[in-house]
Amino acid sequence: MKVLAFLPLCTLQKRVSTALSARQFIVETAVSAKECLHRARLTEYEAVLVDTDPESYGDVCSGKAAAPGTTQCALFVFERHLDLDQRLRLFDAGVDDCVREPFFSAEFAMRLGVSVRLRQAASNLVVSKTGVNVLRSGDWS
């Protein structure tokens, strides 16, 4: 499974990459939240991981909210500085999960795998019932 990540803290990037690699994920990296969301529109990924702060918060909300429910790509947001209202708005915009530190890397890798499998199963169900693939990666505007 292919994952795109923007996790600027070196230790966080290494921890998450190591845990995901152990579960057979291929992890690619981006240099900013904006680039991460842009690349997610251009290339097929099973999941996108974005570390967000108050500066990149709007990019994440608008990037995912532009096409809610139209992508099979799971979006996980890592955050340390958002208040409850901001986290709830992320969920309303279509983010799959907000991860707060501290967290267990192995547990996160398992949760991500489950999320990806559920999205793939939902996509396959829609295709089998309608013949139309409405859940495509890369539909974020």
Side-chain angles (χ1 to χ4, degrees):
M1 289 186 264
K2 195 162 144 185
V3 174
L4 177 63
F6 167 64
L7 304 170
L9 295 177
C10 293
T11 56
L12 178 61
Q13 177 74 38
K14 186 174 181 174
R15 257 179 53 205
V16 169
S17 293
T18 301
L20 293 177
S21 294
R23 297 194 52 79
Q24 308 306 314
F25 283 90
I26 298 167
V27 181
E28 296 180 6
T29 59
V31 296
S32 70
K34 192 174 239 178
E35 182 209 345
C36 189
L37 295 172
H38 176 73
R39 283 177 53 191
R41 286 190 289 274
L42 303 175
T43 308
E44 294 280 331
Y45 294 98
E46 279 76 31
V48 174
L49 315 176
V50 181
D51 184 52
T52 192
D53 54 30
E55 290 81 40
S56 62
Y57 171 77
D59 293 334
V60 174
C61 274
S62 62
K64 185 66 176 179
T70 62
T71 180
Q72 68 184 24
C73 181
L75 179 61
F76 279 65
V77 172
F78 288 77
E79 61 83 18
R80 290 171 299 287
H81 306 290
L82 301 179
D83 62 33
L84 178 60
D85 189 49
Q86 289 174 311
R87 288 193 309 271
L88 293 176
R89 276 188 257 145
L90 285 171
F91 285 116
D92 284 341
V95 168
D96 293 283
D97 201 356
C98 286
V99 181
R100 286 198 105 170
E101 291 190 69
F103 63 92
F104 293 104
S105 300
E107 178 188 4
F108 167 71
M110 183 69 71
R111 288 169 51 196
L112 180 63
V114 168
S115 181
V116 167
R117 284 195 311 275
L118 289 173
R119 282 188 169 274
Q120 289 171 342
S123 178
N124 292 339
L125 182 62
V126 170
V127 170
S128 71
K129 288 190 176 211
T130 65
V132 177
N133 187 1
V134 296
L135 301 174
R136 298 182 321 272
S137 181
D139 281 348
W140 299 338
S141 26

